[in-house]
């Protein structure tokens, strides 16, 4: 170990193990998400929250952060990462079910049979979000359209990447291409 302290594991929620199961960060997030249904008061507080300041006062957010820190994801101790993690917690609190899709396919493929996908104009608005708070607010509105189900680990990585301009540009392209590949031609006409 160096004098600089322990090195942090890379925080990627959607990483998969060789057998296809979720990697460590994804498992921690999904296990934590499962506990939100037990802690209804904390879940409600996170659903009302709009910022790190709001989330920081909620014990379940502290539990998520502590679980990640204990697992060696020490970057969550930094303020900028903690702020993005708070936005992940806000999305998770609004999510009732987890779907295993890319974000673009999720926007194009509602869980409920016969439901319409998120309209292309709304997807463009989402992908044009200038900052993480705006993007998360728009994602939360998409959750209501898509029956509160979401690809939670993938959306968590999306939130973590949004504040990096190079990553954001790459993510925007991937989401929009996935959306256009999956959405029926008649759905956006």
């Amino acid at each position: 170990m160096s004098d600089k302290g322990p090195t942090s594991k890379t925080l990627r929620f959607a990483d998969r193990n060789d057998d296809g199961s979720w990697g460590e960060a994804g498992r921690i997030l999904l296990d934590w998400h499962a506990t939100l249904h037990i802690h209804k008061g904390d879940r409600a507080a996170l659903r009302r929250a709009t910022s790190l300041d709001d989330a920081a006062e909620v014990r379940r957010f502290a539990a998520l952060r502590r679980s990640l820190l204990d697992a060696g994801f020490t970057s969550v101790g930094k303020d900028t990462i903690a702020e993005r993690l708070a936005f992940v917690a806000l999305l998770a609190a609004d999510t009732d079910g987890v779907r295993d899709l890319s974000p673009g396919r999720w926007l194009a493929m509602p869980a409920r049979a016969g439901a319409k996908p998120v309209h292309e104009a709304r997807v463009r608005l989402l992908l044009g979000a200038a900052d993480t708070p705006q993007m998360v607010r728009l994602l939360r509105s998409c959750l209501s359209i898509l029956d509160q189900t979401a690809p939670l680990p993938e959306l968590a990585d999306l939130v973590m990447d949004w504040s990096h301009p190079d990553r954001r540009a790459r993510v925007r392209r991937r989401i929009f291409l996935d959306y256009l590949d999956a959405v029926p031609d008649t759905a956006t006409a």
Side-chain angles (χ1 to χ4, degrees):
M1 186 159 61
S2 71
D3 293 334
K4 296 178 183 176
T7 57
S8 182
K9 294 179 185 177
T10 302
L11 185 61
R12 300 300 300 168
F13 292 102
D15 283 355
R16 301 284 185 134
N17 295 322
D18 292 339
D19 64 0
S21 63
W22 293 110
E24 189 174 15
R27 268 193 337 272
I28 290 169
L29 175 64
L30 292 172
D31 289 348
W32 174 84
H33 177 258
T35 69
L36 286 179
H37 299 285
I38 299 165
H39 302 279
K40 294 178 188 216
D42 282 359
R43 183 178 187 205
L46 287 170
R47 289 179 107 159
R48 289 188 304 272
T50 59
S51 69
L52 171 60
D53 292 337
D54 297 338
E57 298 174 3
V58 179
R59 285 189 179 275
R60 295 313 309 155
F61 172 67
L64 173 61
R65 191 169 168 269
R66 188 176 334 104
S67 294
L68 290 165
L69 284 167
D70 290 349
F73 297 101
T74 57
S75 64
V76 298
K78 297 177 184 173
D79 286 346
T80 57
I81 304 295
E83 180 176 24
R84 285 180 260 158
L85 186 62
F87 286 119
V88 169
L90 304 186
L91 279 175
D94 282 338
T95 303
D96 289 333
V98 177
R99 297 178 69 196
D100 195 2
L101 295 169
S102 71
R105 294 182 69 75
W106 166 67
L107 292 166
M109 301 172 66
R112 191 172 24 105
K116 291 187 177 188
V118 174
H119 194 277
E120 184 176 327
R122 186 179 289 267
V123 173
R124 288 181 187 277
L125 182 65
L126 167 68
L127 298 179
D131 57 26
T132 305
Q134 181 186 21
M135 186 268 301
V136 169
R137 184 180 55 75
L138 292 167
L139 269 178
R140 289 172 103 176
S141 72
C142 290
L143 274 167
S144 66
I145 293 168
L146 297 169
D147 296 329
Q148 305 306 118
T149 62
L152 192 53
E154 288 84 356
L155 292 184
D157 281 346
L158 172 64
V159 169
M160 300 305 280
D161 288 343
W162 203 257
S163 64
H164 300 281
D166 292 341
R167 290 184 201 163
R168 180 174 47 219
R170 186 176 57 244
V171 166
R172 281 178 171 154
R173 281 189 301 274
R174 189 186 76 234
I175 290 173
F176 201 67
L177 289 172
D178 282 355
Y179 173 82
L180 290 177
D181 286 346
V183 72
D185 287 336
T186 58
T188 60

